[in-house]
Amino acid sequence: MTRGPTPARPRGVRIVGSGSCLPQRVLTNADLTTMMDTSDEWIVQRTGIHERRIASAERGETLSRLAAAALRGALADARTSPDDLDLLVLASITQEMMCPPGACLVASLVGASRCGAFDVGAACSGFVYALNIAHELVRGGSYGTVGVIGADILSKHVDYSTAGRGTAILFGDAAAALILRATDDPARGLVAHAMRAQPGSWADIFIPNSPADFPDPSQYDPAKIGRLQMNGRAVFRFAVETFSDLIGSTLAHAGVEAADVDLFVCHQSNARILEAARQRFGLPRDKLYVNINRVGNTVAASVPLCFDELRRAGRVREGTLVMFVAFGGGLTWASSLWRM
Ligand code: ACO
């Protein structure tokens, strides 16, 4: 269907449904101590993570199936049929194939036969990028109902031996989805947003495909191909600074104070990074949601998974002001401040 021009009347955007899906297998810190030289104490102290979920291809837990399960939950929550979707956007860096787009596999699995479908890749920031894009397409008037999914199975790109212990402990697998819908109330939807990148720092987080991908050839090792490479200390420093700056600049752009925001839904990368942001803005603990202890860093699924848990707990109501924030590979970072 060809989309028409922007409507004459301004319109807003509502989040009318959410859903999520976690793989069955729980990988605890105790399990990791049997695979590599590490300890529960080290992991909890440095990251706040106690356990994470790991997808199993044998159990049929592929990226598209996890994402489809999350989307079905969101559609049911929104009392919307798959055929009502005008567009489906999947944020992920771990789709099972390079072609077709993962969003097309998901649309096929849920039976969404009349929507456009494409993927967004911005690592851990991917979902917030996708949310901002989808919002603008709905507010612009061309699309009425849009599904936005964040899903990743990063466990297939980490090395569960002592050589990979700096990254393997961090990541878990998950999928989560939101349904966006146009409303006549222009006050609902994005209040302010940002999408940024520092591409000169791309080598701080990357997954090499070939020897040529290593910026420093002396770091090449065949065992590193297809495995996440991360300069943990550099990313940590970047994240602590960026999180706070991003929240501060988004608040300033919107003309609101941190205390006016009801919920901060932040990418769960490390409990210490989240705690630094919470302290910088003097936020009470219940305003900055944390689930990293149970699920680890779930990459693009992290932000929508937190939001789904908050929504199901009744913490998101009409008028609630919610700040979504994420950072990740690229390096990229993004914010999205919403009036629900
Ligand atoms: N168990 C025990 N010891 C370990 C482990 C482990 N799992 N991992 C590393 N160590 C050791 C190191 O070998 C090092 O030993 P050494 O001093 O003898 O060399 C020591 O612990 C300290 O290592 P650091 O890497 O400096 O540890 P740090 O305190 O920085 O914590 C961590 C590492 C948790 C990875 C931290 O740097 C971090 O969280 N960084 C941010 C990562 C992040 O947020 N990434 C998000 C983006 S991901 C994306 O976009 C896909």
Side-chain angles (χ1 to χ4, degrees):
M1 177 182 153
T2 307
R3 305 284 158 185
T6 305
R9 273 192 312 153
R11 62 182 194 171
V13 184
R14 293 176 61 211
I15 295 173
V16 292
S18 67
S20 56
C21 178
L22 292 172
Q24 276 182 36
R25 182 179 164 213
V26 176
L27 184 70
T28 64
N29 292 349
D31 295 331
L32 286 171
T33 63
T34 67
M35 303 156 85
M36 62 186 74
D37 180 14
T38 191
S39 68
D40 176 56
E41 190 192 7
W42 195 98
I43 300 170
V44 173
Q45 260 181 17
R46 303 285 177 122
T47 70
I49 300 168
H50 291 262
E51 60 186 43
R52 68 290 287 145
R53 299 296 185 96
I54 302 296
S56 152
E58 292 76 49
R59 236 185 243 129
E61 293 171 334
T62 60
L63 194 281
S64 55
R65 287 194 196 160
L66 291 182
L71 180 62
R72 281 191 201 100
L75 288 167
D77 186 35
R79 296 186 178 80
T80 298
S81 107
D83 274 338
D84 291 335
L85 286 175
D86 298 313
L87 194 63
L88 186 60
V89 188
L90 170 69
S92 182
I93 53 167
T94 54
Q95 297 91 329
E96 48 261 72
M97 291 183 265
M98 291 185 68
C99 186
C104 291
L105 291 180
V106 179
S108 165
L109 284 169
V110 302
S113 55
R114 51 169 289 275
C115 64
F118 67 96
D119 296 352
V120 168
C124 298
S125 315
F127 179 82
V128 182
Y129 266 74
L131 185 64
N132 288 336
I133 295 166
H135 176 281
E136 294 303 272
L137 289 170
V138 175
R139 182 150 67 185
S142 299
Y143 297 85
T145 303
V146 177
V148 188
I149 308 171
D152 268 303
I153 298 183
L154 202 75
S155 61
K156 62 186 179 190
H157 293 294
V158 299
D159 170 6
Y160 289 101
S161 75
T162 298
R165 64 183 181 172
T167 52
I169 56 157
L170 291 173
F171 295 99
D173 304 329
L178 306 187
I179 306 296
L180 275 50
R181 183 171 294 145
T183 163
D184 286 338
D185 180 356
R188 313 280 289 272
L190 263 186
V191 181
H193 80 274
M195 294 190 277
R196 301 285 307 279
Q198 186 173 295
S201 303
W202 68 266
D204 283 343
I205 309 175
F206 69 108
I207 302 176
N209 281 321
S210 78
D213 292 335
F214 289 82
D216 175 357
S218 71
Q219 285 177 346
Y220 169 63
D221 170 351
K224 291 181 176 172
I225 297 296
R227 301 273 176 249
L228 183 80
Q229 307 301 309
M230 184 173 75
N231 181 347
R233 277 184 206 180
V235 175
F236 189 92
R237 277 195 303 275
F238 163 83
V240 168
E241 208 172 290
T242 305
F243 244 38
S244 294
D245 290 354
L246 181 58
I247 291 172
S249 62
T250 308
L251 291 171
H253 191 69
V256 298
E257 302 291 328
D260 299 328
V261 178
D262 299 297
L263 291 171
F264 287 84
V265 181
C266 301
H267 173 51
Q268 307 282 303
S269 53
N270 183 316
R272 290 189 292 148
I273 296 172
L274 296 171
E275 183 59 16
R278 192 185 72 75
Q279 288 188 8
R280 153 104 184 256
F281 293 98
L283 304 172
R285 281 188 197 284
D286 69 334
K287 276 200 178 188
L288 196 154
Y289 189 68
V290 176
N291 68 2
I292 192 171
N293 51 317
R294 287 184 282 115
V295 297
N297 176 347
T298 58
V299 192
S302 172
V303 164
L305 180 60
C306 288
F307 184 77
D308 182 50
E309 291 181 0
L310 283 161
R311 204 164 176 277
R312 281 168 198 279
R315 302 273 315 274
V316 183
R317 290 179 280 274
E318 202 158 308
T320 301
L321 194 57
V322 180
M323 170 89 81
F324 299 95
V325 202
F327 75 91
L331 297 173
T332 55
W333 60 105
S335 65
S336 194
L337 180 64
W338 281 66
R339 178 69 69 190
M340 294 292 151

